[in-house]
Amino acid sequence: MIVADPLLDQITAALEPHGLVPRGGFVFGPGETAPGLHHGAAARSVVLAGHFGSSIWPHFTRWRQAHSGQPDPLDAWSKAVLTQVADKLGGQAVFPSDKPYLPFQQWAKRAESLSASPLGLLIHPEYGLWQAFRGALLFDRAIGFPAVPLNNHLCDSCIDKPCLHACPVDAFDGTGFAVDRCRGHLAVPEGALCRDGGCLARLACPVGREHAYTPEQQRFHMAAFASA
């Protein structure tokens, strides 16, 4: 039996004041390409950091009020928090927005046995589409992780696929996302419901609906997407 590494408890304690949690991780295998660390060696382990529901929102909101005018504020907050945590624990923080892009979605699938929904977002068995990964912590040693339970892909048993029929401009077809069509809709008066209330396709998924982001958080994400 593998005993969870004490470092995981330290990571949990360091993330908790920010509304974040460790979202699983793994040890890079022999011959597997791993990101390089600042001192030149390749990382041995990765721990993903993220959140469920709106747990980060009050923490991010307070930070944003103190850092008004900051471009890409959610990414900036994530980098400030996770870099501090990494420095404290002897690791290195990396982020989905950084180039060259790292395979965060593949890491997330591996770390928590998640699968992609028809919208392209990973779906969690409890929180549905209302969860996200804000970054990852790399370490130069092998960490002992608990076994990852295999999750059934909930979308396989979802017959009606309401997420694919809720978008007013049919931006999702189960194989891709018509980004320009969605942004164009958000820019006109007819897009007010999506712009102010959140993505209707995402809201249509029944899994974890009780964990949906707060209206304020949904407006923030829609505005950020529309202006990207």
Side-chain angles (χ1 to χ4, degrees), residues 20 23 48-51 56 72-79 82 94-97 104 132-136 221:
L20 293 164
R23 300 282 308 269
L48 284 92
H51 64 90
I56 66 168
D72 299 320
L74 187 53
D75 282 346
W77 173 80
S78 301
K79 289 181 178 182
L82 294 179
V94 291
F95 303 93
S97 60
F104 265 84
F133 296 85
R134 298 307 320 161
H221 286 298

Side-chain angles (χ1 to χ4, degrees), residues 92-111:
Q92 181 176 318
V94 291
F95 303 93
S97 60
D98 286 349
K99 295 180 181 180
Y101 297 125
L102 293 169
F104 265 84
Q105 191 170 59
Q106 298 306 313
W107 287 356
K109 289 179 178 180
R110 183 172 172 182

